[in-house]
């Protein structure tokens, strides 16, 4: 019987130990809000165990007396179990607290990230709206520009074009004005011109660097030799090309006549299928003045002696063509090859004679004679001078004061035009002259392309086959540079669109009066529309002179070129589009020789401009202005003639001009 209570007591103890050692609930099964209930439950459990019969029986049982070991050890086990359970519960609650803190921190980070993303989206949307606003404005500006170009072209009837182009327009078959690859740039230029309408122009537009330019003065009239008797024979020259090539050939023939001590016949001009002009020397230049002014230098006659007139020059070997003479041959060539022919046949006939005399090396007095012929001996006939005076009067809008070069260009007609406008205001009216070397012959010969596609290529190729057969043959037998390579090397003439963009970038205002030489532009009105849309005060000789005043010059391209020469040379500023053009070279040289350092000329560096225009689809207008001005400014330096360069274009040399400093 004594063992029974002991067994029951042990069983109850084991049961109570199991109750206290139960594992706490999993971490996710209890929350912070349940802590009070959990503590309350634990307290209730403790009191329940204290008041249970088993517990009471153990308290009164002899075997659990403090004096016996088993009772002492049983109480200790229960205390340890209870402490261990409390520690586990505290650890669980601490871990749960840390986890909740981490969750709250994560929520704050997520909210901050969401707010940042929302701000970025709002900023992107705002930028998009602003970009859309500018895009719509740009499209509207382009449409307005298109309407302006179309309106100008439809209303323009003042410029004369080749008959073939006129017939196309008259029949309604002409192409609409095309903006081509420069549509964007033309729109930007129109906007820039409108913005600076009342702003002052850059100071260097209408003047040269005066101090270094004015240090040179003309002195080609000075002579330091005896007249030539011309006893070694006669020289005939039949010059080819247009007025400008013919002028150069005449000056070279004068020098060769002096070099060989021969007599020069009044030069003749060769009829060309390209120019279709039957003009002779006396139709353009004053023949008597030419003979008399050069008498102290060479002997000049109007015809051969009778015994030589019937001579078959080709049969006797006296005809010398450009194929027989290298380009820019030295004086020694003529002494070695041509002088023997003169001694044998008494006459030599040069056919062509374009650029067949070198500029260096050449004796000082012969070089000066070349300048004297160009700047002093060749004067236009009164018919051209009188019409040129009318042209200048209307270009200046009936101002009373003559220009600095008028008396050298139009002679006594300068006084007559002055008298007609004596009642007008005595105020100088500035105008800019622009030489557009963009006729079909120049375009075809350049082998470049100008945005006209396959139709343009076929048209220019057909023109070459008729007028430049040698060039057509060369294309078939030799690999020539591509149009893109030619353009990058600066070997293509500027298009009218490129020329007008250059002027706008330089700072010429929209109201500027512009005289355009070479009005038979390849492409007709579709090309000219770009010019008139930006500069409405753009005129040609065909607009300023009536049909009756132009009638004596119709079908005489060289005489019409003489009028353009007068209009460009007398301008306050002159801009060329092809620095290799003979016309531009002669005009700019004439302005240097007589201008006194006050006649600026704009010479574009086509290689630099080609690189700028290549970026026409992306470049900003402000950057375009800066780069164009830099490219043109570098060509305005005043310098002496470089070695072997043309004295017609660069007369600042000791043979033609003298320094005053």
């Amino acid at each position: 019987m004594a063992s029974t209570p002991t067994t029951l007591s042990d069983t109850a103890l084991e049961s109570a130990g199991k109750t206290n050692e139960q594992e706490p609930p999993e971490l996710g099964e209890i929350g912070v809000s349940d802590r009070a209930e959990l503590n309350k439950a634990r307290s209730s459990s403790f009191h329940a165990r204290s008041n249970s019969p088993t517990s009471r029986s153990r308290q009164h049982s002899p075997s659990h007396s403090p004096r016996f070991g088993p009772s002492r050890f049983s109480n200790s086990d229960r205390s340890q179990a209870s402490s261990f359970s409390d520690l586990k519960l505290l650890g669980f609650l601490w871990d749960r607290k840390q986890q909740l803190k981490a969750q709250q921190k994560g929520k704050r980070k997520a909210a901050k990230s969401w707010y940042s993303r929302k701000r970025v989206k709002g900023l992107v949307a705002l930028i998009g709206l602003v970009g859309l606003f500018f895009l719509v404005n740009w499209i509207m500006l382009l449409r307005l520009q298109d309407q302006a170009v179309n309106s100008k072209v439809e209303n323009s009837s003042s410029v004369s074009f080749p008959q073939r182009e006129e017939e196309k327009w008259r029949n309604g078959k002409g192409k609409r004005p095309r903006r081509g690859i420069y549509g964007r740039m033309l729109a930007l230029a129109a906007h820039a011109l409108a913005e600076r309408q009342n702003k002052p122009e850059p100071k260097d537009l209408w003047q040269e660097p005066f101090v270094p330019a004015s240090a040179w003065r003309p002195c080609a009239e000075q002579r330091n030799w005896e007249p030539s008797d011309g006893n070694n024979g006669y020289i005939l020259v039949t010059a080819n090309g247009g007025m400008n090539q013919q002028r150069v050939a005449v000056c070279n023939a004068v020098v060769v006549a002096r070099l060989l001590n021969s007599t020069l016949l009044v030069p003749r001009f060769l009829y060309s299928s390209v120019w279709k002009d039957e003009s002779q020397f006396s139709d353009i230049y004053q023949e008597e003045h030419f003979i008399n002014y050069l008498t102290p230098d060479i002997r000049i006659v109007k015809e051969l002696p009778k015994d030589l007139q019937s001579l078959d020059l080709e049969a006797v070997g006296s005809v010398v063509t450009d194929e027989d003479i290298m380009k820019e041959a030295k004086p020694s060539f003529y002494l070695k090859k041509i002088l023997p022919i003169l001694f044998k046949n008494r006459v030599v006939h040069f056919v062509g004679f374009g650029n067949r005399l070198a500029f260096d090396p050449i004796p000082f007095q012969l070089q000066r004679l070349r300048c004297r012929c160009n700047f002093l001996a060749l004067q236009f006939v009164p018919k051209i001078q009188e019409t040129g005076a009318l042209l200048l009067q209307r270009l200046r809008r009936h101002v009373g004061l003559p220009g600095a070069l008028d008396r050298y260009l139009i002679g006594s007609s300068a006084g007559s035009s002055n008298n007609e406008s004596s009642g007008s205001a005595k105020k100088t009216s500035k105008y800019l002259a622009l030489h557009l070397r963009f006729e079909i012959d120049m375009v075809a010969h350049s082998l470049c392309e100008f945005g006209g596609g396959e139709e343009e290529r076929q048209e220019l190729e057909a023109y070459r086959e008729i007028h430049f057969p040698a060039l057509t043959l060369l294309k078939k037998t030799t690999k020539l540079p591509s149009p893109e390579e030619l353009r990058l090397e600066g070997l293509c003439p500027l298009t009218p669109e490129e020329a007008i963009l250059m002027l706008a970038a330089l700072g010429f205002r929209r109201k500027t009066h512009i005289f355009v030489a070479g009005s038979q532009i390849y492409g007709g009105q579709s090309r000219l529309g770009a010019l008139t849309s930006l500069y409405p005060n753009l005129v040609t000789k065909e607009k300023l002179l009536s049909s009756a005043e132009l009638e004596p010059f119709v079908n005489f391209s060289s005489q019409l070129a003489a009028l353009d020469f007068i209009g460009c040379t007398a301008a306050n500023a002159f801009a060329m589009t092809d620095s290799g053009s003979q016309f531009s070279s002669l005009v700019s040289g004439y302005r240097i020789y007589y201008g006194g350092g006050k006649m600026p000329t704009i010479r574009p560096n086509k290689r630099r401009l080609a690189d700028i225009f290549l970026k026409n689809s992306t470049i900003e207008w402000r950057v375009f202005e800066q780069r164009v001005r830099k490219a043109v400014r570098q060509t305005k330096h005043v310098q002496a003639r470089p070695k072997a360069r043309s004295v017609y274009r660069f007369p600042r040399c000791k043979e033609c001009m003298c320094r005053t400093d």
Side-chain angles (χ1 to χ4, degrees):
M1 290 298 293
S3 61
T4 301
T6 304
T7 302
L8 290 173
S9 176
D10 292 339
T11 302
L13 182 61
E14 290 176 4
S15 177
K18 288 179 181 179
T19 302
N20 289 334
E21 292 176 359
Q22 271 188 332
E23 290 294 322
E26 292 296 325
L27 211 57
E29 296 177 3
I30 185 168
V32 176
S33 59
D34 298 332
R35 289 178 184 173
E37 294 182 4
L38 185 63
N39 291 334
K40 184 178 180 181
R42 187 181 61 180
S43 177
S44 301
S45 175
F46 174 77
H47 289 294
R49 285 196 304 269
S50 302
N51 297 327
S52 66
T54 306
S55 178
R56 284 195 302 271
S57 65
R58 273 188 294 207
Q59 289 176 2
H60 298 285
S61 171
S63 61
H64 291 279
S65 171
R67 291 175 297 178
F68 297 95
S71 297
R72 188 169 56 248
F73 284 117
S74 296
N75 292 334
S76 175
D77 289 342
R78 284 195 300 269
S79 175
Q80 289 177 0
S82 176
S83 299
F84 179 73
S85 177
D86 290 344
L87 288 174
K88 290 184 70 176
L89 181 61
L90 289 174
F92 162 73
L93 293 176
W94 174 258
D95 290 342
R96 181 59 179 167
K97 181 178 181 181
Q98 295 298 322
Q99 187 180 28
L100 290 174
K101 285 184 178 181
Q103 289 178 354
Q104 291 175 356
K105 187 176 182 181
K107 288 181 179 180
R108 286 196 297 271
K109 285 184 178 180
K112 187 176 181 180
S113 176
W114 175 84
Y115 179 71
S116 299
R117 286 196 301 270
K118 193 162 186 178
R119 283 187 63 187
V120 171
K121 289 180 179 179
L123 184 61
V124 171
L126 179 61
I127 293 174
L129 288 174
V130 173
L132 181 62
F133 172 76
F134 282 107
L135 178 63
V136 171
N137 281 352
W138 182 67
I139 293 174
M140 293 177 65
L141 181 62
L142 288 180
R143 295 187 64 181
L144 289 173
Q145 183 68 16
D146 280 333
Q147 293 174 2
V149 171
N150 293 339
S151 174
K152 289 288 182 182
V153 172
E154 290 172 0
N155 296 331
S156 175
S157 59
S158 60
V159 182
S160 174
F161 297 96
Q163 187 67 25
R164 176 173 56 83
E165 293 293 330
E166 286 287 351
E167 290 177 357
K168 284 184 179 180
W169 280 93
R170 207 176 290 121
N171 297 331
K173 298 179 181 179
K175 299 176 183 177
R176 291 180 62 81
R178 63 184 177 200
R179 298 166 61 83
I181 60 176
Y182 295 115
R184 172 181 173 272
M185 294 300 298
L186 291 171
L188 294 177
H191 184 68
L193 289 176
E195 280 190 338
R196 64 169 180 244
Q197 187 171 356
N198 297 319
K199 296 181 181 178
E201 294 173 321
K203 295 181 180 180
D204 61 345
L205 282 183
W206 301 97
Q207 62 185 19
E208 280 189 286
F210 178 72
V211 174
S214 61
W216 296 87
R217 63 176 178 83
C219 58
E221 73 281 357
Q222 299 176 5
R223 294 179 173 91
N224 191 23
W225 58 18
E226 295 297 325
S228 171
D229 54 24
N231 290 334
N232 289 342
Y234 295 86
I235 289 181
L236 286 73
V237 173
T238 303
N240 63 359
M243 184 201 76
N244 313 294
Q245 291 84 354
Q246 292 167 352
R247 189 181 184 108
V248 171
V250 168
C251 295
N252 289 342
V254 168
V255 174
V256 171
R258 175 73 194 205
L259 174 67
L260 302 180
N261 190 26
S262 57
T263 298
L264 178 68
L265 270 73
V266 173
R268 301 172 182 173
F269 295 155
L270 187 68
Y271 177 82
S272 170
S273 60
V274 175
W275 300 102
K276 298 180 180 179
D277 188 354
E278 297 179 351
S279 299
Q280 288 302 314
F281 185 90
S282 59
D283 297 319
I284 302 173
Y285 303 106
Q286 298 179 31
E287 189 175 276
E288 293 300 326
H289 174 80
F290 175 75
I291 295 173
N292 296 332
Y293 190 84
L294 293 177
T295 295
D297 301 303
I298 61 173
R299 180 170 177 253
I300 304 176
V301 297
K302 296 183 179 180
E303 59 182 14
L304 286 172
K306 291 184 179 180
D307 61 323
L308 295 178
Q309 290 179 5
S310 59
L311 187 65
D312 188 343
L313 299 181
E314 187 172 2
V316 299
S318 287
V319 175
V320 180
T321 67
D322 283 357
E323 295 180 359
D324 303 317
I325 309 175
M326 69 185 72
K327 187 177 181 181
E328 297 188 359
K330 298 178 181 179
S332 58
F333 171 85
Y334 293 94
L335 293 172
K336 182 179 180 180
K337 299 292 185 181
I338 305 302
L339 188 58
I341 300 176
L342 277 176
F343 287 151
K344 178 182 178 182
N345 300 327
R346 296 178 57 205
V347 61
V348 171
H349 184 194
F350 293 111
V351 178
F353 210 58
N355 296 326
R356 288 306 185 264
L357 179 62
F359 291 101
D360 288 305
I362 190 171
F364 178 90
Q365 290 296 338
L366 290 179
Q367 192 81 289
R368 176 163 285 186
L369 175 59
R370 180 145 55 179
C371 291
R372 188 154 56 242
C373 177
N374 180 55
F375 297 114
L376 296 162
L378 295 176
Q379 292 188 1
F380 295 122
V381 296
K383 177 181 70 173
I384 294 177
Q385 287 185 340
E386 292 168 3
T387 307
L390 286 175
L391 181 66
L392 294 181
Q393 178 184 339
R394 292 166 190 175
L395 278 169
R396 294 165 181 156
R397 285 159 289 166
H398 304 281
V399 297
L401 295 176
L405 275 63
D406 286 12
R407 67 188 183 97
Y408 307 109
L409 294 167
I410 57 179
S412 60
S413 298
S416 62
S417 64
N418 215 17
N419 294 333
E420 290 181 17
S421 56
S422 58
S424 60
K426 302 290 184 178
K427 182 181 178 182
T428 302
S429 180
K430 295 186 295 188
Y431 74 93
L432 166 72
L434 172 66
H435 179 222
L436 278 179
R437 185 66 174 98
F438 205 69
E439 294 87 353
I440 187 171
D441 65 299
M442 178 65 176
V443 172
H445 196 272
S446 69
L447 297 178
C448 300
E449 293 182 356
F450 302 94
E454 186 60 29
E455 181 181 354
E456 177 187 280
R457 284 190 286 271
Q458 293 179 2
E459 184 177 11
L460 295 181
E461 190 59 40
Y463 187 91
R464 292 187 198 103
E465 291 178 358
I466 297 173
H467 299 286
F468 305 119
L471 184 60
T472 302
L473 179 62
L474 185 65
K475 281 189 64 179
K476 294 178 180 178
T477 59
T478 308
K479 180 175 176 56
L480 299 176
S482 66
E484 293 77 13
E485 293 171 332
L486 291 172
R487 186 169 297 279
L488 290 176
E489 288 298 317
L491 300 177
C492 298
L494 293 184
T495 66
E497 296 89 345
E498 292 170 339
I500 213 68
L501 287 171
M502 177 186 71
L503 296 180
L506 290 177
F508 287 100
R509 288 184 294 188
R510 179 176 171 81
K511 295 180 180 180
T512 302
H513 287 258
I514 302 178
F515 171 70
V516 176
S519 57
Q520 292 186 347
I521 299 172
Y522 174 68
Q525 290 182 345
S526 63
R527 292 274 186 192
L528 197 65
L531 280 68
T532 55
S533 64
L534 296 185
Y535 290 96
N537 294 326
L538 184 145
V539 294
T540 64
K541 59 183 178 297
E542 289 82 4
K543 181 175 182 178
L544 293 173
L545 299 173
S546 67
S547 56
E549 292 166 339
L550 282 173
E551 186 177 0
F553 309 99
V554 174
N555 299 326
F556 297 104
S557 61
S558 292
Q559 297 180 45
L560 290 171
L563 296 176
D564 281 334
F565 183 90
I566 292 173
C568 289
T569 307
N572 300 90
F574 171 62
M576 62 179 74
T577 57
D578 182 18
S579 56
S581 163
Q582 286 277 19
F583 180 92
S584 296
S585 297
L586 292 171
V587 168
S588 61
Y590 212 93
R591 291 167 61 83
I592 290 173
Y593 189 81
Y594 286 116
K598 300 179 181 179
M599 310 294 286
T601 296
I602 299 170
R603 300 181 183 90
N605 185 321
K606 292 190 294 180
R607 180 182 295 179
R608 290 180 180 271
L609 289 182
D611 181 64
I612 299 172
F613 283 121
L614 194 63
K615 302 175 177 62
N616 69 84
S617 60
T618 57
I619 192 170
E620 295 182 4
W621 181 255
R622 178 179 56 82
V623 178
F624 178 75
E625 280 185 332
Q626 293 173 349
R627 295 191 63 186
V628 168
R629 292 182 184 184
K630 182 178 180 181
V632 173
R633 192 182 304 116
Q634 292 174 345
T635 66
K636 296 184 72 174
H637 298 308
V638 175
Q639 60 179 352
R641 179 181 72 91
K643 186 177 180 180
R645 300 300 294 275
S646 168
V647 294
Y648 310 121
R649 179 180 178 183
F650 300 102
R652 289 191 183 106
C653 58
K654 60 183 180 180
E655 297 90 346
C656 296
M657 302 182 72
C658 303
R659 292 187 65 92
T660 58
D661 53 357

